[in-house]
Amino acid sequence: MATETVLATAVSNGGGSKICCKSGPGYATPLAAMAGPREKLIYVTALYSGTGRDKPDYLATVDVDPSSPTYSSVIHRLKMPYVGDELHHTGWNSCSSCHGDASADRRYLVLPGLISGRIYAIDTKTDPKAPSLYKVVEPKEIAEKTGLAFPHTSHCLASGDMLVSCLGDREGNAKGNGFLLLDSDFNVKSRWDKPGNSPLFGYDFWYQPRFKTMISTSWGAPKAFSKGFDLQHVADGLYGSHLHVYSWPEGEMKQVIDLGNTGLLPLEIRFLHDPSKDTGYVGSALSSNMIRFFKNSDDTWSHEVVISVKPLKVENWILPEMPGLITDFLISLDDRFFYFVNWLHGDVRQYNIEDPKNPVLTGQIWVGGLLQKGSPYKAVGEDGNTYQFDVPQIKGNSLRGGPQMIQLSLDGKRLYATNSLFSAWDRQFYPEMMEKGSHIIQIDVDTDKGGLTINPDFFVDFGDEPDGPALAHEMRYPGGDCTSDIWI
């Protein structure tokens, strides 16, 4: 049976909604999404938290329509009502998992403040070019009802609820972290995970209803990572190396997968988009490995390392070797390619994953990093000679920081990249970003033979913002994308 047919015949996760009905938000299948309209706007979280500027973070609306006179610029800024949120990741109140529900509406962007603990609901439908604040969920209410704080990843559910991973308690301890359940109007319902089923550490998660499974990843204790990265904290057990396998939708932990030294700081996780596939990948940041996870015949889950980015011997840096630091990755909607970034090395990579066990490198481009020409740091080759990477300018602008969050167009032909990871880590590894700010670049993708090339006409400079240089992090399209939408 062809993939399109398999996806089109998918049934609901038990909530009574069927994907074959085309009256809800999103798309019936991932392949249908690929045929969706070209992106014209991107919503980007932009930060002053941690920069030394006493200004609120904001949601930037960026024009990415080449036919528009304001192409490649920020056209609107929605300032948050408080200072110090550390806006980070975003999600939707409703997505393709609700496609068969005629009453569902992709209207609100879910916008957690990682440090403040607030969760903002942003109305993007009244005026997509100028979103507005709809509601604020206060951290005190979240903590009093659930004990949770430090909200991070959010995903919409077919039930209409929203699920948010929270990385610790109010004191910044990892113990007691878990998952917050919000109803369709952003009221706090409860924790999702059953009592006694808290993960060791929290970060990202992805659910796969056909296999009645949700898997979450591990960053670290907020009291550790919020102060910057200290390698001693890894040895002290303040960072994670585990995947947590939960029953879906019950919230009972069924298995803890220890990735060991091959999986230190496993951050982003994605199943393949085809909901009939019981496999996916997780990017281990510190170990700089791409790890495939998969279901066994006895309903347990296993893992294997499929790509290892070797650390580079370096001069003049804080350590004798520099890891790539895989901080983000994504999978194209047809499950043919995945893309990941090495935030410290500075390259973006494209791999063909038509054989999920054996990814093949098909594209690589350097767009920043600590080892670009002109940097004080140099890589040392096996012959003892030093070298640095060529990084092009875009519209006369040198590229700062390293590639961090990425977002792919629905058709898979354009990859957008920001360069801010987390303000305390930005300050530590790329201090110039505090004074010069972030940027967004766009990379053209060859989906036939493979390959990546920079679009020379697209550069959004957050160093020129009205309130001073800002840090840009995650990006979302108004109509959904390959990192927000889940098919059931």
Side-chain angles (χ1 to χ4, degrees):
M1 182 180 288
T3 303
E4 182 74 38
T5 305
V6 170
L7 298 176
T9 55
V11 295
S12 75
N13 71 341
S17 60
K18 294 183 178 180
I19 285 183
C20 61
C21 304
K22 296 185 177 181
S23 52
Y27 300 87
T29 70
L31 296 186
M34 290 193 78
R38 177 176 173 140
E39 70 281 0
K40 294 185 177 182
L41 301 173
I42 291 183
Y43 301 130
V44 186
T45 51
L47 320 187
Y48 287 116
S49 298
T51 66
R53 295 175 182 84
D54 191 30
K55 301 287 184 179
D57 299 345
Y58 59 101
L59 184 70
T61 304
V62 175
D63 185 341
V64 294
D65 179 2
S67 65
S68 168
T70 54
Y71 174 62
S72 183
S73 67
V74 178
I75 60 172
H76 184 264
R77 299 165 185 87
L78 175 64
K79 296 180 181 180
M80 298 303 108
Y82 302 95
V83 172
D85 284 312
E86 185 91 29
L87 299 183
H88 199 62
H89 284 205
T90 59
W92 289 105
N93 70 305
S94 183
C95 70
S96 292
S97 65
C98 310
H99 182 72
D101 183 355
S103 66
D105 186 17
R106 190 196 304 264
R107 184 183 191 105
Y108 301 112
L109 193 67
V110 185
L111 189 52
L114 179 58
I115 296 300
S116 71
R118 296 183 189 91
I119 299 177
Y120 297 101
I122 308 299
D123 180 3
T124 66
K125 192 162 187 178
T126 301
D127 184 351
K129 291 186 176 181
S132 57
L133 179 62
Y134 168 66
K135 192 172 186 178
V136 181
V137 185
E138 293 292 348
K140 182 179 179 181
E141 179 187 5
I142 295 171
E144 288 177 349
K145 292 183 178 179
T146 67
L148 296 169
F150 298 91
H152 187 271
T153 298
S154 62
H155 278 298
C156 58
L157 309 183
S159 64
D161 293 337
M162 291 157 279
L163 190 62
V164 184
S165 63
C166 295
L167 309 193
D169 62 16
R170 280 192 286 188
E171 285 70 47
N173 301 302
K175 185 177 180 180
N177 76 90
F179 303 91
L180 169 67
L181 203 59
L182 300 174
D183 71 13
S184 59
D185 199 38
F186 293 86
N187 297 303
V188 176
K189 293 183 71 172
S190 63
R191 291 179 71 120
W192 173 78
D193 44 308
K194 298 294 185 187
N197 287 256
S198 174
L200 300 173
F201 294 94
Y203 189 72
D204 196 20
F205 68 95
W206 199 277
Y207 63 88
Q208 180 54 283
R210 293 205 198 179
F211 299 99
K212 300 179 179 178
T213 296
M214 185 271 266
I215 303 180
S216 71
T217 62
S218 309
W219 186 9
K223 65 181 181 182
F225 69 68
S226 62
K227 298 175 183 177
F229 180 70
D230 185 340
L231 194 59
Q232 183 60 43
H233 287 161
V234 179
D236 293 342
L238 294 176
Y239 284 94
S241 60
H242 296 80
L243 304 181
H244 311 90
V245 182
Y246 284 89
S247 61
W248 184 266
E250 294 83 10
E252 181 180 349
M253 192 184 295
K254 294 295 187 181
Q255 185 182 352
V256 177
I257 301 174
D258 186 355
L259 304 176
N261 288 334
T262 65
L264 297 173
L265 279 68
L267 297 184
E268 307 296 336
I269 186 169
R270 327 278 187 212
F271 272 89
L272 294 183
H273 295 290
D274 181 342
S276 70
K277 302 297 185 184
D278 57 0
T279 189
Y281 301 92
V282 60
S284 163
L286 189 56
S287 301
S288 299
N289 290 327
M290 289 300 301
I291 298 169
R292 186 178 79 94
F293 59 87
F294 53 93
K295 188 171 179 287
N296 301 312
S297 59
D298 63 356
D299 289 339
T300 61
W301 294 77
S302 295
H303 73 283
E304 62 179 355
V305 175
V306 292
I307 298 169
S308 291
V309 176
K310 301 301 182 184
L312 298 176
K313 292 182 180 180
V314 292
E315 290 183 349
N316 306 323
W317 198 52
I318 55 176
L319 296 171
E321 291 189 331
M322 182 186 293
L325 212 72
I326 300 174
T327 52
D328 195 22
F329 86 98
L330 53 77
I331 301 174
S332 64
L333 287 168
D334 56 6
D335 292 333
R336 288 185 59 223
F337 296 99
F338 71 40
Y339 303 82
F340 69 77
V341 302
N342 289 303
W343 190 57
L344 297 182
H345 288 180
D347 58 315
V348 179
R349 300 190 187 188
Q350 175 196 42
Y351 284 81
N352 184 298
I353 56 168
E354 290 176 289
D355 177 358
K357 299 178 182 179
N358 298 291
V360 177
L361 180 64
T362 51
Q364 184 175 20
I365 190 171
W366 271 265
V367 291
L370 290 173
L371 297 169
Q372 60 179 299
K373 288 187 176 178
S375 164
Y377 314 116
K378 297 181 179 181
V380 181
E382 293 183 2
D383 59 3
N385 292 323
T386 61
Y387 64 93
Q388 294 177 312
F389 298 109
D390 285 313
V391 174
Q393 290 190 334
I394 302 178
K395 299 176 74 171
N397 297 283
S398 297
L399 300 188
R400 308 181 287 270
Q404 212 289 293
M405 296 305 294
I406 50 177
Q407 190 55 263
L408 188 65
S409 60
L410 296 181
D411 63 7
K413 296 184 181 299
R414 292 167 300 284
L415 187 72
Y416 297 87
T418 58
N419 57 352
S420 168
L421 172 58
F422 177 72
S423 64
W425 293 33
D426 294 346
R427 177 179 293 276
Q428 181 178 2
F429 292 101
Y430 291 107
E432 71 167 351
M433 288 176 58
M434 297 299 112
E435 300 303 322
K436 297 182 179 180
S438 282
H439 50 59
I440 308 175
I441 63 172
Q442 187 245 299
I443 299 167
D444 291 323
V445 179
D446 186 334
T447 57
D448 295 324
K449 298 178 181 179
L452 303 172
T453 55
I454 287 178
N455 178 350
D457 299 320
F458 187 92
F459 185 85
V460 181
D461 191 352
F462 281 83
D464 291 334
E465 287 295 272
D467 286 336
L471 304 174
H473 192 64
E474 187 164 59
M475 298 166 283
R476 289 271 173 250
Y477 306 131
D481 49 64
C482 65
T483 59
S484 67
D485 283 36
I486 294 176
W487 281 267
I488 60 176

